[in-house]
Amino acid sequence: QVKLVEEGGGSVQAGGSLKLSCAASGYIFSSCAMGWYRQTPGPGNERELISSISKDDTTTYDDSVKGRFTISRDHGRNRVNLQMDNVKTEDTAVYYCAAGPKCLVCSGGDCSMPETQYWGQGTQVTVVS
């Protein structure tokens, strides 16, 4: 089945750097877009998309991270990375990797592209001043 596992979270000082990595399996890695979301605690706080990378590696960034974060794909290792530089205290959140929709999933010779968006379990990033 489709599985996304985030790595690399932790605590970092403001102005420092951190690299998140998401290991993907269970689908054709290059068949769909992937993204990084984050969510802060509190009622009504939703996950917000901060960066995405398309099937052809076109990238997008939210204004809050533009110029500081870099998303990339490692096609050889089926990973999507998020390099976080010059982090700020407001970057503190749980970060989630996502894939889809329409990832190509094959099983027993049958393939499909469901409208499902897949999620990792999340990794905590804490930026301290």
Side-chain angles (χ1 to χ4, degrees):
Q1 72 275 23
V2 175
K3 191 174 182 182
L4 303 173
V5 180
E6 299 99 338
E7 301 171 352
S11 183
V12 60
Q13 283 205 314
S17 297
L18 200 64
K19 182 178 179 180
L20 305 183
S21 186
C22 174
S25 61
Y27 68 101
I28 305 302
F29 181 69
S30 58
S31 66
C32 56
M34 297 189 71
W36 284 96
Y37 291 71
R38 67 185 180 189
Q39 186 174 22
T40 53
N45 287 356
E46 298 183 352
R47 291 181 190 182
E48 59 169 348
L49 176 64
I50 57 169
S51 185
S52 68
I53 186 163
S54 70
K55 293 188 295 182
D56 60 359
D57 291 346
T58 300
T59 59
T60 67
Y61 298 95
D62 184 78
D63 285 346
S64 64
V65 305
K66 196 174 294 182
R68 300 187 298 119
F69 292 9
T70 304
I71 191 171
S72 62
R73 279 188 194 256
D74 182 340
H75 289 273
R77 299 176 65 206
N78 285 8
R79 285 179 173 265
V80 63
N81 302 312
L82 186 70
Q83 177 66 41
M84 306 167 62
D85 297 321
N86 191 22
V87 296
K88 303 177 180 181
T89 54
E90 52 262 44
D91 294 323
T92 295
V94 178
Y95 284 71
Y96 296 89
C97 171
K102 295 188 176 181
C103 298
L104 182 61
V105 181
C106 296
S107 176
D110 294 325
C111 296
S112 62
M113 299 182 77
E115 290 289 341
T116 306
Q117 184 159 30
Y118 303 97
W119 296 92
Q121 81 284 356
T123 187
Q124 176 70 45
V125 171
T126 302
V127 182
V128 298
S129 59

